[in-house]
Amino acid sequence: MRTFEYEALDRNGRTRKGVVSADTARAARRELRRKQLMPVRVDATDTNTGAGAGLSLQRDHISGKDVSLVTRQMATLIGAAAPVEEAINTVAAQAEKPSVKRTLMAVRTSIMEGHRLSDALSQHPKSFDRLYCAMVAAGESSGHLGAVLDRLSDHLERSQKLRSKVRTAMIYPTALALTAIGVVIALMTFVVPKVVDQFDTMGQTLPALTRLMIILSDGMRDYGLIIAAGLAVAVFAFSRALKLPAFRFAVDRLLLRLPLVGKLVRGLNAARLARTLSTLIASGAPVLDGLRAAARTVTNTVLKSSIETVVTMVEEGASLSTALKRVEGFPPMVGYMAAAGENSGRLDDMLAKAASYMEDEFENITSAAVSLLEPAIIIVMGGVVATIVLSILLPIMQLNTLALG
């Protein structure tokens, strides 16, 4: 069936607008008359029919960058007092990607059928996650949807910027590491065997380092595919095991105990929690509801368990700052800034400042680590290549010594 947007007059002469599903425009008009509505205008809003349309919507997925852009555009239009349905229609009309246009038109159709914006967005979980919908729902409940969308777009843009910086910073070290691995594999599987063959006819005992390199070279040449397959199976098994709650919890606990990685994981998750909670509270959501929604941004299961403890303590009457100080895992700054916000009545501002500080700290540490990673890879690569070259040169030096003797 197709979807038709209609404008009709009811029995009292008032204009009614909405959406109706029917096979043809004539059938849509007949359905309107059955509902005692006089059709004035009936226009098709989709081009897909039947199961194909449903499958198309299921396949549509809006990237994080597109969601951020769409949110900013909706915030601008709704903040300018445009109706939600018209704002979404305007954003969809200027969307360049078909998937974005189809998804927004589906959201618009749901709104015209009487659903709230948050409910319409929740029908597309691949594009708009539960946290996004919770923040939109908070804005609808508080009557400040435009302001909430503006804060949400700031949040999404900041998150996209942080992910983009980390991704960009890792391109060169990753390419360098892959090149180094390729060079070592080429040396061990092609160069070393051919050079070593020249020493087999001399009847001399080769140095220990050379014999070790020969063993490694033979192993890589004879069992390289088996080793690669084993590594692939191990990676696949590890990724599957991460879906088991107990194993994931153990891995996350190990990550928190690592010297530098643990600090980064704590800081990043705490920044997400503080930033999201700040946005929700500023949008008019109660602290407890905001805390439940913000907990979804915490990816580390150990820290998520701590947040669940915080939620329980707040439900029992404890303040947010007290609960945050009592649980382990999060940086002390979160609890202290929450206490300052509760005392001053500016909890959202204090949490936002805490989030900004931790995001800056994460960015600085990440930048420093990446800058140190590049020379570390070069040093390791140079050491490995030097060892291989030395294993080849040692027999030659040994022969020269015997010849001189």
Side-chain angles (χ1 to χ4, degrees):
M1 298 181 71
R2 302 178 62 185
T3 303
F4 295 87
E5 182 181 334
Y6 70 83
E7 181 178 344
L9 300 176
D10 61 11
R11 298 177 63 181
N12 297 322
R14 291 176 295 188
T15 301
R16 300 288 186 183
K17 295 181 179 180
V19 175
V20 62
S21 297
D23 293 327
T24 63
R26 177 176 296 181
R29 293 178 181 276
R30 186 164 54 247
E31 178 65 19
L32 292 174
R33 293 190 186 96
R34 191 184 65 80
K35 295 180 179 180
Q36 298 183 345
L37 294 174
M38 178 62 66
V40 176
R41 177 178 59 84
V42 176
D43 298 322
T45 60
D46 63 336
T47 57
N48 296 319
T49 60
L55 291 175
S56 177
L57 288 177
Q58 290 296 324
R59 287 194 299 266
D60 286 339
H61 169 67
I62 304 180
S63 65
K65 185 177 181 180
D66 290 330
V67 169
S68 177
L69 177 61
V70 165
T71 305
R72 175 64 70 186
Q73 292 171 337
M74 288 195 301
T76 302
L77 292 171
I78 294 176
V84 175
E85 176 266 330
E86 292 184 10
I88 295 178
N89 186 48
T90 302
V91 175
Q94 64 185 12
E96 297 181 357
K97 296 182 179 179
S99 59
V100 176
K101 187 184 294 290
R102 285 193 298 265
T103 301
L104 291 179
M105 290 305 297
V107 171
R108 178 175 178 266
T109 299
S110 298
I111 292 175
M112 296 186 68
E113 290 175 348
H115 296 285
R116 297 199 311 168
L117 175 60
S118 56
D119 296 331
L121 293 172
S122 65
Q123 298 175 11
H124 306 272
K126 292 183 179 180
S127 302
F128 307 99
D129 56 23
R130 294 173 61 187
L131 176 63
Y132 189 103
C133 298
M135 295 179 70
V136 172
E140 291 174 321
S141 301
S142 63
H144 299 90
L145 180 58
V148 170
L149 288 174
D150 192 54
R151 295 191 189 98
L152 182 56
S153 60
D154 290 338
H155 173 72
L156 294 173
E157 289 169 0
R158 192 177 295 108
S159 300
Q160 283 291 124
K161 183 179 179 181
L162 183 60
R163 283 194 293 268
S164 178
K165 281 186 176 181
V166 174
R167 193 179 299 115
T168 302
M170 288 302 297
I171 290 177
Y172 179 69
T174 302
L176 187 61
L178 292 176
T179 302
I181 293 172
V183 169
V184 171
I185 292 175
L187 287 174
M188 295 295 289
T189 56
F190 298 105
V191 178
V192 172
K194 291 184 178 180
V195 174
V196 171
D197 287 342
Q198 305 300 320
F199 302 125
D200 290 341
T201 59
M202 296 181 181
Q204 297 293 330
T205 302
L206 298 176
L209 181 59
T210 305
R211 294 198 302 271
L212 176 61
M213 286 298 145
I214 293 174
I215 294 173
L216 293 176
S217 176
D218 291 340
M220 292 180 63
R221 185 179 55 188
D222 298 336
Y223 305 102
L225 294 178
I226 298 176
I227 294 173
L231 289 175
V233 171
V235 171
F236 177 76
F238 182 79
S239 62
R240 297 290 295 179
L242 282 177
K243 297 182 179 181
L244 301 175
F247 185 78
R248 177 65 181 271
F249 192 86
V251 173
D252 287 342
R253 178 180 292 172
L254 177 62
L255 289 176
L256 292 176
R257 291 177 178 175
L258 296 177
L260 179 61
V261 176
K263 183 177 181 179
L264 289 175
V265 171
R266 286 190 184 92
L268 182 59
N269 281 275
R272 287 175 177 172
L273 176 71
R275 178 70 65 187
T276 306
L277 186 57
S278 169
T279 303
L280 288 169
I281 293 175
S283 304
V287 174
L288 192 57
D289 293 342
L291 193 59
R292 291 195 186 99
R296 302 186 190 120
T297 63
V298 179
T299 56
N300 186 279
T301 54
V302 177
L303 297 179
K304 184 171 289 188
S305 177
S306 298
I307 291 299
E308 292 173 356
T309 303
V310 171
V311 172
T312 302
M313 295 173 65
V314 173
E315 286 177 337
E316 294 174 350
S319 65
L320 176 62
S321 58
T322 301
L324 288 172
K325 290 178 182 179
R326 289 181 180 176
V327 298
E328 297 181 357
F330 288 98
M333 171 172 282
V334 182
Y336 289 120
M337 294 298 283
E342 290 172 337
N343 293 332
S344 63
R346 298 168 53 204
L347 181 58
D348 54 334
D349 290 339
M350 293 296 103
L351 289 175
K353 290 181 179 179
S356 297
Y357 173 81
M358 288 182 290
E359 287 168 352
D360 292 339
E361 185 180 32
F362 175 82
E363 184 175 343
N364 292 334
I365 294 176
T366 303
S367 300
V370 170
S371 63
L372 292 175
L373 186 60
E374 296 174 10
I377 293 174
I378 294 174
I379 292 173
V380 172
M381 177 184 177
V384 172
V385 173
T387 302
I388 297 173
V389 173
L390 183 61
S391 68
I392 297 173
L393 291 178
L394 281 177
I396 299 175
M397 295 171 63
Q398 188 180 56
L399 288 175
N400 290 336
T401 302
L402 293 173
L404 292 175

